[in-house]
Each structure stands twice: as C-alpha cells, then as structure tokens.
Amino acid sequence: MARRPLVAGNWKMNGLSASIAELDKIIVGAGALAQRSANVDVMVCPPATLIANFAVAARGSNVAIGGQDCHALSAGAFTGDIAAEMLRDAGAQAVIVGHSERRQYHGETDAAVRAKAQAAHRAGLLAIVCVGETRAERDGGRAREVVGAQLDGSLPENAAATLVAYEPIWAIGTGLTPHPSDVADMHGFIRTRLGARFGEAGETVRILYGGSVKASNAKELMATANVDGALVGGASLVAGEFLAIAGVYR
Ligand code: PEP
C-alpha cells in the first residue's frame, strides 16, 4: 500500500506576522519539489494567530496549513479556546491533537484527545494524533504498552481523515532520536494496531515520526519501514532546513 508521505512543521508558540517571509520561502521550495514530482505533501502548523494570514498566502500552493490544537466543542463559553470549525474557517486543513506538550502541560487525557480528533473530523479537518512514551517508560520496557494504550484511547472512528504521529517524548527538542530499528519496531507495532482497529483502512493511515528530525537525520529516519513522513518541531522554523527534510522524498 503506497501512502503519500507528509512532512508537517509544528511551529509551537513561535512566530509573529513577519514570519510569513519564512512561509513564503517554504511555499517556493515546496513548489519546486512538486515540479520535480517529489512524492511528498508539505504542511505548516503555525500558532493560531497566524493561521488566517498563512492560509491566504498558501492558497493555490503545495503547502497546507494546520492548527496545533482545538477544543472538542464547536462553540461556547470556553475563554481562550479555539474550535475546530474556527480553524477550518481560518483556512486550516488539519490540526495536531494530543501533542505531548498538551498532554503534559494541559493535562489532556486520551479521552480528551479523542474528543478533539472527532471535533477535527466534524469540522472537515485531518486529525494528526500524537502518541509517544517517556524515557522512563522506554527504559522500563513499556513503550509498546504505553503507545498501544494511547492509540486505543485517543484515536477517533474515522481512519480516513486520521494520521498518527509517533513522537517519543524524550526525543522532542533534545537532539536525541531513537535508533532506526526502534522506530521501525514501533511504527510496525502501530501499523498492526491500526489494522486490528480499522481493518483494511488501517493500511491507509499515515504514521509520521517526530522528535529531533533534522536535515542531517531525515533521510535515514524517513527510509524506515512504516514511516510515512515527519512531524518536525524546531527544524521547521527555518525554511531551508525544513525544505531539506521534505526534500528527502525528491
Ligand atoms: C514536536 O514537538 O512535534 C517535535 C517533533 O519537536 P522537535 O522536532 O523540535 O523535536
């Protein structure tokens, strides 16, 4: 089953209106990759304040715009929160849910993440559902158990509009990455779990790897079995570095 890879940039809480200059470079670079028939989708997930402007700038280009989080409900008295419908209205095509920083700093449970993923689907967005173990869980031999439970609890019903991002927490922003054989092992495990849950549709779900992906390690990580692209944090803030990661699919 051929799955078209996705390289998505998670800008986290970084970027001001002037950062559109970096997006413009990404748009030009992604266009050049497309012209060379590169087999890759490119997405940028800026902070919510930039989504509308970025979506206008990216219209008609090869770059999709996504959000970093959404509320489970479509409207209501939830000060500071943003509904999936609002992201969609601003021009987003996808939203990341259950990032480990949301789980850690905002106490998001698997059930809450699942509700957000369902909200994304209700609004017509792709849901990028993040899972991943801590260093202690990996060292304790519990990585599969933890990720399996996160998948069971966080994934919504609709496989077709869902992506999984496997992001070992200890690899995020640390410069550390798992050995490719450990990535292959976990992505294979996730693929099997998706098959058990969704049947044949589980084969179509893209599984991204995230955690300290850079231009220098992207080739090896992206060539790993069942790795269908990357969710990139720090390295996505610099157009050249981000494009070099997407460029491994040239
Ligand atoms: C992330 O937070 O989604 C991430 C992968 O970050 P980084 O690439 O900076 O490790």
Side-chain angles (χ1 to χ4, degrees), residues 3-160:
R3 290 172 296 268
R4 187 171 164 87
L6 167 70
V7 173
N10 172 14
W11 281 23
K12 310 193 186 195
M13 198 172 74
N14 296 290
L16 298 171
S17 53
S19 311
I20 203 150
E22 215 58 35
L23 176 71
D24 288 340
K25 291 184 210 162
I26 293 171
I27 289 170
V28 170
L33 284 174
Q35 272 195 335
R36 278 183 265 160
S37 306
N39 178 40
V40 65
D41 290 332
V42 177
M43 181 183 293
V44 174
C45 301
T49 48
L50 298 180
I51 288 175
N53 277 355
F54 275 32
V56 169
R59 198 175 288 154
S61 80
N62 303 98
V63 178
I65 303 300
Q68 299 176 10
D69 178 47
C70 66
H71 196 277
L73 299 180
S74 53
F78 302 103
T79 303
D81 279 319
I82 298 173
E85 284 79 359
M86 295 170 177
L87 296 176
R88 171 80 189 218
D89 183 55
Q93 291 167 249
V95 61
I96 300 166
V97 293
H99 190 281
S100 61
E101 287 151 15
R102 301 289 317 172
R103 291 178 185 263
Q104 187 182 349
Y105 304 135
H106 298 268
E108 292 188 6
T109 62
D110 288 330
V113 174
R114 185 167 193 263
K116 288 175 181 227
Q118 285 170 333
H121 291 167
R122 183 188 66 222
L125 300 174
L126 294 174
I128 303 174
V129 180
C130 300
V131 295
E133 81 285 354
T134 64
R135 182 80 246 180
E137 288 162 347
R138 172 155 289 272
D139 290 347
R142 298 184 52 229
R144 280 180 170 217
E145 179 196 328
V146 168
V147 169
Q150 288 174 337
L151 291 170
D152 291 350
S154 307
L155 288 177
E157 295 309 321
N158 179 2

Side-chain angles (χ1 to χ4, degrees), residues 10 12 99-101 167 171-175 210-213 231-235:
N10 172 14
K12 310 193 186 195
H99 190 281
S100 61
E101 287 151 15
E167 300 205 303
I172 294 178
T174 59
S212 295
V213 177
L231 183 55
V232 185

